[in-house]
Amino acid sequence: MKLCSQSNWNLSTLIVGANNLKCLQLRILGEFLGQMRQWQEHLVPAFSEKIISILVVLYGLAPSTARSIVLPDIVAVLGRCMAMRRDSPDASIWKTAVTAFNNILEQSFADDLASEQKLSEKRSLVNDGPRRPQFWKELAESYENFLVGACGRAATLSSDETVPSDSLKTNELLEARVLDVLCGKVFAVCQDAPHEVLERLVNVIDRCAARTSALPLEAMVLLPPHCGRFSLACLHKLFQICSWQPGLPILSSKLAVSRIALPVLISRSESIICQFAQDDQSSGDPLPQFRIEELLFVLQELSTLEIHPLTATVLDISVKDMEDEFSQKLSTTHSRAFSSRNFDAGSKQTHLLLLYSALCELVISRDERVSKLLRLLLRLIGVQLGLISNYR
């Protein structure tokens, strides 16, 4: 009996020692990566990338207790390596860091997602431990520095230089993967994230989506195509995180994010619509193709976007004010005046009502595709107001 107890004690000691060793190894590698920017010119790139690869392997082998301790530090140092893209766009180190960053986040959130979907009370890696707030802070900062600071930007090249098409394609795939992990993994299990962190992450996507529409027309002509594609990809993500498929349950995390993102999406859509209308009226020449494609994308997405009733409650829509406004505008042309009895505040497309004024600015658009989508949206608004029967 005594021998058995002694053996169990020795085994426990070995396990604890092994866990502490793995934690120490992760910390040492993290500290090394944290100083890498200062040593970058003295290091062989392949060596730095190898360190990152070892870090990912060790993280996968480490127990959850060790992971929870070092995760904020790993996210921070990988985020700094990713941000190297802004100053060294041709370096391979930031690409390796992006891949490692995505892999580690997917490992970290895997148990959380399973727990959320099964409605389990099980606590998991990211949601446990005193360092959780620090993790969310570092995560938001890493996404902000990389997506806002280093993605979707025109590279500074001399007149005789060009970026290889293969390199551009690889970079765009990496950017898309970062957005996929953020919107598909992080937002799926962020129920314990501070509200201000979720706002910051949503605003990161919005700031990237706003780049092209905020440019003057003369600058749009000079914009490289990959910059416009990145901006459009971020705009697409805003629509995705606000959308809901009727009949399917919605996770608490997705609901929380959608309630933050919906007002942001409405504001961004209104800005894009109004800017297009202003440019279209003031310019005697056809607008840049991307500006037209951006507006068509927004109108098409708005026509199909359906939101959860609990998400819609975040919108500031006063039924009484709407009744007074729309009855006055429409009673002269419609025998059936708008009434609050016809209005469903929990409708899946209530958001369209907030864009009515902006959409009216497109009435005189010279583009036939815009006019076609505009008619569809105005009819859908009529459905929301109970002025016409269901239209599809």
Coordinates of all heavy atoms in Angstrom, one line a residue, residues 328-358:
Q328 N -48.4 60.5 -43.6 CA -48.4 61.8 -44.3 C -47.8 61.7 -45.7 O -48.4 62.3 -46.6 CB -47.6 62.8 -43.5 CG -47.6 64.2 -44.0 CD -46.8 65.2 -43.2 OE1 -46.2 64.8 -42.2 NE2 -46.8 66.4 -43.5
K329 N -46.8 60.9 -45.9 CA -46.1 60.8 -47.2 C -46.9 60.0 -48.2 O -46.9 60.3 -49.4 CB -44.7 60.3 -47.1 CG -43.7 61.2 -46.4 CD -42.4 60.6 -46.4 CE -41.3 61.6 -45.8 NZ -40.0 61.0 -45.8
L330 N -47.6 59.0 -47.7 CA -48.1 58.0 -48.6 C -49.7 58.0 -48.7 O -50.2 57.5 -49.7 CB -47.8 56.6 -48.1 CG -46.3 56.3 -48.0 CD1 -46.0 54.9 -47.4 CD2 -45.6 56.4 -49.4
S331 N -50.3 58.8 -47.9 CA -51.8 58.8 -47.9 C -52.3 59.4 -49.2 O -53.4 59.1 -49.6 CB -52.3 59.5 -46.7 OG -51.9 60.8 -46.6
T332 N -51.6 60.3 -49.8 CA -52.0 61.0 -51.0 C -52.0 60.0 -52.2 O -52.6 60.3 -53.2 CB -51.2 62.2 -51.3 OG1 -49.8 61.8 -51.4 CG2 -51.3 63.2 -50.1
T333 N -51.1 59.0 -52.1 CA -51.0 58.1 -53.3 C -51.5 56.7 -53.0 O -51.6 55.9 -53.9 CB -49.5 58.1 -53.7 OG1 -48.7 57.7 -52.6 CG2 -49.0 59.4 -54.2
H334 N -51.7 56.4 -51.8 CA -52.2 55.1 -51.4 C -53.5 55.2 -50.6 O -53.6 55.9 -49.7 CB -51.2 54.3 -50.6 CG -49.9 54.0 -51.4 ND1 -49.8 52.8 -52.0 CD2 -48.8 54.7 -51.6 CE1 -48.6 52.7 -52.6 NE2 -48.0 53.9 -52.4
S335 N -54.5 54.4 -51.0 CA -55.7 54.4 -50.3 C -55.6 53.8 -48.9 O -56.4 54.0 -48.0 CB -56.8 53.7 -51.1 OG -56.4 52.4 -51.4
R336 N -54.6 52.9 -48.8 CA -54.4 52.2 -47.5 C -53.2 52.9 -46.8 O -52.1 52.7 -47.1 CB -54.1 50.8 -47.8 CG -53.9 49.9 -46.5 CD -53.6 48.5 -46.9 NE -53.4 47.7 -45.7 CZ -53.0 46.4 -45.7 NH1 -52.6 45.9 -46.9 NH2 -52.9 45.7 -44.6
A337 N -53.5 53.7 -45.8 CA -52.5 54.4 -45.0 C -51.7 53.4 -44.1 O -52.3 52.4 -43.6 CB -53.1 55.5 -44.2
F338 N -50.5 53.8 -43.8 CA -49.7 52.9 -42.9 C -50.3 53.0 -41.5 O -50.7 54.1 -41.0 CB -48.3 53.4 -42.8 CG -47.5 52.9 -41.7 CD1 -47.1 51.6 -41.7 CD2 -47.1 53.7 -40.6 CE1 -46.3 51.0 -40.7 CE2 -46.4 53.1 -39.6 CZ -46.0 51.8 -39.6
S339 N -50.4 51.9 -40.8 CA -50.9 51.8 -39.4 C -49.9 50.9 -38.6 O -49.4 50.0 -39.1 CB -52.3 51.3 -39.4 OG -52.7 51.0 -38.0
S340 N -49.8 51.3 -37.3 CA -49.0 50.4 -36.5 C -49.5 49.0 -36.4 O -48.8 48.1 -36.0 CB -48.9 51.1 -35.1 OG -50.2 51.2 -34.5
R341 N -50.8 48.8 -36.7 CA -51.4 47.5 -36.6 C -50.8 46.6 -37.8 O -50.8 45.4 -37.7 CB -52.9 47.6 -36.8 CG -53.6 48.2 -35.6 CD -55.1 48.0 -35.7 NE -55.6 48.6 -36.9 CZ -56.0 49.9 -37.0 NH1 -55.9 50.7 -35.9 NH2 -56.5 50.3 -38.1
N342 N -50.3 47.3 -38.9 CA -49.8 46.5 -40.0 C -48.3 46.3 -39.9 O -47.7 45.5 -40.6 CB -50.0 47.3 -41.3 CG -51.5 47.7 -41.5 OD1 -51.8 48.8 -41.7 ND2 -52.4 46.7 -41.5
F343 N -47.7 47.0 -38.9 CA -46.2 46.9 -38.8 C -45.8 45.9 -37.8 O -46.3 45.8 -36.6 CB -45.7 48.3 -38.4 CG -44.2 48.3 -38.0 CD1 -43.3 48.1 -39.0 CD2 -43.8 48.5 -36.7 CE1 -41.9 48.1 -38.7 CE2 -42.5 48.5 -36.4 CZ -41.5 48.3 -37.4
D344 N -44.9 45.0 -38.2 CA -44.4 44.0 -37.3 C -42.9 44.4 -36.8 O -42.0 44.3 -37.6 CB -44.3 42.6 -38.0 CG -43.8 41.5 -37.1 OD1 -43.6 41.7 -35.9 OD2 -43.6 40.4 -37.7
A345 N -42.8 44.8 -35.6 CA -41.5 45.3 -35.1 C -40.5 44.1 -35.1 O -39.3 44.4 -35.0 CB -41.6 45.9 -33.7
G346 N -41.0 42.9 -35.0 CA -40.1 41.8 -35.0 C -39.8 41.2 -36.4 O -39.3 40.0 -36.5
S347 N -40.1 41.9 -37.4 CA -39.9 41.4 -38.8 C -38.4 41.1 -39.0 O -37.6 41.8 -38.5 CB -40.5 42.4 -39.8 OG -40.1 42.0 -41.1
K348 N -38.2 40.2 -39.9 CA -36.8 39.8 -40.3 C -36.1 40.8 -41.1 O -34.9 40.7 -41.4 CB -36.8 38.4 -40.9 CG -37.4 37.3 -40.1 CD -37.3 35.9 -40.7 CE -38.3 35.8 -41.9 NZ -39.7 35.8 -41.5
Q349 N -36.9 41.8 -41.7 CA -36.2 42.8 -42.5 C -36.6 44.2 -42.1 O -36.6 45.2 -42.9 CB -36.6 42.6 -44.0 CG -36.0 41.3 -44.6 CD -36.2 41.3 -46.1 OE1 -37.3 41.3 -46.6 NE2 -35.1 41.1 -46.8
T350 N -36.8 44.4 -40.8 CA -37.1 45.7 -40.2 C -36.0 46.7 -40.5 O -36.2 47.9 -40.6 CB -37.2 45.6 -38.7 OG1 -38.2 44.6 -38.4 CG2 -37.8 46.9 -38.1
H351 N -34.7 46.3 -40.7 CA -33.6 47.2 -40.9 C -33.8 48.0 -42.1 O -33.2 49.1 -42.2 CB -32.3 46.3 -41.0 CG -32.4 45.3 -42.1 ND1 -33.0 44.1 -41.9 CD2 -31.9 45.2 -43.3 CE1 -32.9 43.3 -43.0 NE2 -32.3 44.0 -43.9
L352 N -34.6 47.5 -43.1 CA -34.7 48.3 -44.4 C -35.4 49.7 -44.1 O -35.2 50.6 -44.9 CB -35.5 47.5 -45.4 CG -34.9 46.2 -45.9 CD1 -35.8 45.5 -46.8 CD2 -33.6 46.5 -46.6
L353 N -36.2 49.7 -43.1 CA -36.9 51.0 -42.8 C -36.0 52.1 -42.5 O -36.3 53.3 -42.8 CB -37.9 50.8 -41.6 CG -39.0 49.7 -41.9 CD1 -39.8 49.4 -40.6 CD2 -39.9 50.1 -43.0
L354 N -34.9 51.8 -41.8 CA -33.9 52.8 -41.5 C -33.1 53.3 -42.7 O -32.5 54.4 -42.6 CB -32.9 52.3 -40.4 CG -33.5 51.9 -39.1 CD1 -32.5 51.3 -38.2 CD2 -34.1 53.1 -38.4
L355 N -33.2 52.6 -43.8 CA -32.5 53.0 -45.0 C -33.4 53.6 -46.1 O -32.9 53.9 -47.2 CB -31.7 51.8 -45.6 CG -30.6 51.2 -44.7 CD1 -30.1 49.9 -45.3 CD2 -29.5 52.2 -44.6
Y356 N -34.6 53.9 -45.7 CA -35.6 54.4 -46.7 C -35.2 55.7 -47.3 O -35.2 55.9 -48.5 CB -37.0 54.5 -46.0 CG -38.0 55.1 -47.0 CD1 -38.6 54.4 -47.9 CD2 -38.4 56.5 -46.8 CE1 -39.6 54.9 -48.8 CE2 -39.3 57.0 -47.7 CZ -39.9 56.3 -48.6 OH -40.8 56.8 -49.5
S357 N -34.8 56.6 -46.4 CA -34.4 57.9 -46.9 C -33.1 57.9 -47.8 O -33.1 58.5 -48.9 CB -34.1 58.9 -45.7 OG -33.6 60.1 -46.2
A358 N -32.1 57.0 -47.5 CA -30.9 56.9 -48.3 C -31.3 56.3 -49.6 O -30.8 56.7 -50.7 CB -29.9 56.1 -47.5

